[in-house]
Amino acid sequence: MNWIVEKPKQRIVVMTGAGISAESGIQTFRGANGLWENHRIEEVASPAAFSRDPVLVWNFYLQRRRQALSCRPNAGHLAVAELEKWIVSAGGDFLLVTQNVDGLHSRAGSGNVIEMHGSLMTSRCTACGQIFPDKRTDLELPPRHNCPEKGLLRPHIVWFGESLFPGDMERIECAIEKCDMFIVIGTSGIVYPAAGLVNFANSLEKRTVCVNKEAPANVELFDTFIRGEAGKELPQRLFPRKNREGDG
Ligand SMILES: [Zn+2]
């Protein structure tokens, strides 16, 4: 049996994209016409949209929050979380980087996670800057923070035209520089800056593995490509779970 990760005392970086969440039923918020309730996505996911109409923007994100809460982590999310425990308990290093904002990795038990595009389950005060977990789905809109300034809350999401959160890219690049293997799951390979990280890992001659339903646009950059669904492939291929559990 060829496991993707054969021994636990290693430094592993995993990056996931929309594909792993699609298997949990997380739907694209764009309709067949590419619009959300007749709005272009840029009209509900940008700083300009939020200053123009915070209620509209919050309605969009509350709908997505409700939808994400109605979905459950799948076997792929669980396998990634179990890999982390296996690695960490053996003294290795593990970092999960996700492009997904649905919070399913945390719910599956992942601990060291960078949600590079933010989270539907986190809000941020535009006045005092506090960032906090927020799974409320019935809010008086637009919601206000209970700080002295009563600041307007916004989703802690990286919007169109915004940079990643301070420090995230540095932490990710630092982890890739030190890693023994970079595993990419469920991404199309075309969304930057995530796609750039594959180039980065390659330039450092890191071992790279991709698990995806389809060959991604940058498939030639990977040492190993495993075609299939994360929820099916990861439990069987990611690491030797059966040996660990003393099976057989
Ligand atoms: Zn505040």
Side-chain angles (χ1 to χ4, degrees), residues 125 128 145 147:
C125 178
C128 71
H145 193 209
C147 60

